[in-house]
Amino acid sequence: MKHNQAETLFREAAIPTAVLQNAVPAMLMVLIYNLADTFFIGQTHDALQVAAVSLATPVFLMFMSIGSVFGIGGTSVISRALGEGRQEYAKKVCSFCMWGCVATGLLLSALFLIFMDTILGWIGASPDTWQFAKTYLVIVSFCGPFATISNCYSNVIRAEGQSGKAMMGQVIGNLLNIVLDPILILALGWDIAGAAVATVIGNVVAACYYVYYFLQGNSSLSIRLKDFTCKEKVLWNVLAIGIPASLGSLLMSVSQIVMNGLMTAYGDMALAGIGVAMKVTMMTGMICIGFGQGVQPLLGYCVGARLWERFQKVMRFSLLFSLGLSVVMTGLCYLFTKQIVQAFLNEPEAFHYAVQFVYILLTTSCLFGVFYVLGNALQAMGAATEALIINLSRQGFIYIPALFIMNAAIGVNGLIWAQPVADLLSTAMVVALYLRTLQKMRKKTDHAGLAL
């Protein structure tokens, strides 16, 4: 069983080794996944297809948001259970996550297909982008359960110290996507339909890999139906952490849909420009999201095992490393903005919009590392209320109102400046909530006669 490996990594390994071994695979795979389709669609030199992908992507990301309910929630609960030595409970949580993914994935796929035209109206598809966006969304709707399972277990498996196995499923799925994209989009001329088919195949194969991993019997966890239960607070404990985490992802999709809807007033080239600009900023953001998700199981284990000194050492290293990482990535993106944008867009008007938007978005991207480490630390600590506040605020209660206010006040650039404003306010909020939660933990530990 792999529990000894988790013990060694989480409890005994040097802090940099423990953090980076668990986090680096998540960082790389999250980044690659979010760039592939837009890059190869950009090679068609059709800005309308780039705009359509920009419209459709946040809708498809809702599958990943549902996977995050079970993936991040399950990871938090399982890592703490393993730290407490509750092996059987961890198995039940893992099985609950699997069958929850299957049920919700099927439901979401059905809803997408039934209400497709309504969804296209909501996301602001124009007559020129409507058919492109519909083609993409209809195809990717068929991989609902596979997308949720893939996103869930790329997180959950790290809870038992199997970062390599977690990475392998993502590598297989993403490599298939990357290999198939140029073949289907460019060589066969399937254009945006090729991007969608590649995405479906990548998610199906990745999900099958994770299922096969458990069926081999090499895991300390379980996806067997006989271990499934909603009792013993399994459902509550997973959803209490998973829903706040998924709301962050869901609101990221919703806010991007709102942004796209407002941006359509400035034309399809502006829409293509913001789609690419957000991809460039994601080069920093997605790496930091992956790092935060990767370090969460280690923090959760420390909380469950009451290894408070190690917890604080992990936090210090993670904050410094992620801050340095986001600063370096922001600097590189700023220096090479035009070259990066050219990889996606050649149309002059869309290119001009994209470069202008990137420079604005990068003003606060150096804060991403701190924000995502602290946000995942709250989830690892079981601070469900605080995690909910953070995930509702950054892309929801702060960002969405700012979009409308700043669009009315400044126009198209106001839409873009809304994100830096939300970044500043939400980072200040997560720092305050983390310090308050840490103080509560110190008081509880001191009361129990333990040294934090």
Side-chain angles (χ1 to χ4, degrees), residues 123-342:
I123 64 178
S126 71
D128 290 328
T129 58
W130 184 284
Q131 191 56 49
F132 287 133
K134 183 173 184 177
T135 297
Y136 187 89
L137 285 177
V138 166
I139 294 172
V140 298
S141 292
F142 287 99
C143 76
F146 300 101
T148 54
I149 290 170
S150 175
N151 193 57
C152 172
Y153 284 94
S154 64
N155 285 291
V156 167
I157 291 175
R158 288 199 298 271
E160 58 174 347
Q162 292 295 312
S163 58
K165 298 292 186 183
M167 179 184 71
M168 187 56 65
Q170 292 179 301
V171 166
I172 293 171
N174 288 331
L175 280 180
L176 267 176
N177 196 349
I178 293 168
V179 169
L180 290 173
D181 267 342
I183 295 172
L184 300 179
I185 295 169
L186 304 174
L188 296 181
W190 291 6
D191 293 338
I192 201 167
V197 171
T199 296
V200 170
I201 293 173
N203 277 279
V204 169
V205 172
C208 290
Y209 169 85
Y210 290 125
V211 171
Y212 179 69
Y213 165 76
F214 286 106
L215 295 180
Q216 277 186 308
N218 293 328
S219 173
S220 61
L221 303 174
S222 170
I223 60 170
R224 292 177 299 182
L225 191 56
K226 72 174 188 177
D227 291 318
F228 173 85
T229 183
C230 294
K231 299 178 181 179
E232 302 179 51
K233 293 189 176 180
V234 168
L235 182 148
W236 167 254
N237 287 339
V238 171
L239 298 188
I241 295 298
I243 286 178
S246 71
L247 282 176
S249 300
L250 180 62
L251 282 172
M252 189 178 295
S253 296
V254 170
S255 64
Q256 192 172 340
I257 290 170
V258 172
M259 155 73 85
N260 290 340
L262 293 171
M263 188 62 73
T264 55
Y266 302 98
D268 287 332
M269 294 305 101
L271 184 60
I274 187 56
V276 170
M278 295 180 75
K279 291 293 183 182
V280 175
T281 312
M282 279 182 181
M283 294 178 71
T284 299
M286 289 300 172
I287 282 181
C288 293
I289 288 173
F291 183 85
Q293 291 176 353
V295 78
Q296 183 189 324
L298 176 57
L299 292 170
Y301 184 93
C302 292
V303 171
R306 296 186 176 274
L307 302 173
W308 303 120
E309 183 178 354
R310 186 170 176 81
F311 176 91
Q312 295 207 68
K313 288 179 179 178
V314 170
M315 281 300 300
R316 282 195 293 270
F317 176 82
S318 298
L319 285 170
L320 289 173
F321 184 88
S322 62
L323 177 61
L325 181 67
S326 55
V327 168
V328 169
M329 287 298 300
T330 296
L332 289 173
C333 288
Y334 189 88
L335 289 173
F336 298 103
T337 292
K338 292 182 179 180
Q339 292 87 339
I340 298 170
V341 171
Q342 280 178 336

Side-chain angles (χ1 to χ4, degrees), residues 3 10 70-87 89-97 152-153 155-161 214 220-222 237-238 296-297 300-301 304:
H3 183 52
F10 291 163
F70 302 100
I72 296 178
T75 298
S76 177
V77 178
I78 290 168
S79 58
R80 280 181 280 134
L82 292 177
E84 295 164 357
R86 301 170 65 196
Q87 185 64 41
Y89 188 76
K91 286 184 177 181
K92 293 176 181 178
V93 173
C94 187
S95 180
F96 169 79
C97 291
C152 172
Y153 284 94
N155 285 291
V156 167
I157 291 175
R158 288 199 298 271
E160 58 174 347
F214 286 106
S220 61
L221 303 174
S222 170
N237 287 339
V238 171
Q296 183 189 324
Y301 184 93

